[in-house]
Amino acid sequence: MDPNSDKLVINLFIGRQSYPITVKRDQEEVFRRAAELINNKLQRYQTAYPNQGNEKLTAIALLDFAVMALKMEKDHETQPYADSIAQLTKEIEDALAPAKEK
């Protein structure tokens, strides 16, 4: 690979497998941290459920991450804020309405 390229190949170990992945140089640390998070979660599930196969543990960890992502997405929705602003705007307009009629 060209040493001046903005991409590089890294090997990530997830579970019992090695995965060579091409990433942008500025994203390398994010990918390494993500692999570390996955491995930590897998280790916790392996400890809690020692008789389960690697495939099941991986599926459970994947489900856990998906639920966490959906919760974070929901927490960042702006609709409740838009609703509050609309309500406040209506209250301000209602309060000013008699003044406008004068």
Side-chain angles (χ1 to χ4, degrees):
M1 184 167 271
D2 178 10
N4 295 326
S5 172
D6 67 334
K7 295 184 179 181
L8 71 147
V9 177
I10 60 174
N11 280 314
L12 297 179
F13 290 91
I14 299 174
R16 298 177 186 147
Q17 297 288 324
S18 173
Y19 299 94
I21 299 175
T22 302
V23 299
K24 289 184 177 182
R25 289 183 185 276
D26 64 346
Q27 293 293 307
E28 177 184 7
E29 184 60 28
V30 173
F31 278 84
R32 292 196 185 279
R33 287 181 55 215
E36 184 179 350
L37 285 171
I38 293 167
N39 286 323
N40 289 341
K41 192 163 292 284
L42 282 173
Q43 182 62 42
R44 280 184 268 156
Y45 282 124
Q46 287 168 347
T47 301
Y49 307 103
N51 297 325
Q52 297 298 316
N54 193 48
E55 188 175 312
K56 278 190 177 182
L57 295 172
T58 301
I60 292 169
L62 181 61
L63 178 63
D64 198 1
F65 279 114
V67 168
M68 184 172 40
L70 289 171
K71 284 181 180 179
M72 290 175 65
E73 184 179 282
K74 183 179 178 185
D75 289 346
H76 288 92
E77 287 182 8
T78 59
Q79 190 58 47
Y81 302 110
D83 292 344
S84 293
I85 290 171
Q87 180 62 35
L88 289 171
T89 301
K90 183 181 179 327
E91 289 175 14
I92 291 170
E93 288 173 349
D94 289 347
L96 295 175
K100 287 181 183 177
E101 294 174 1
K102 292 181 183 176

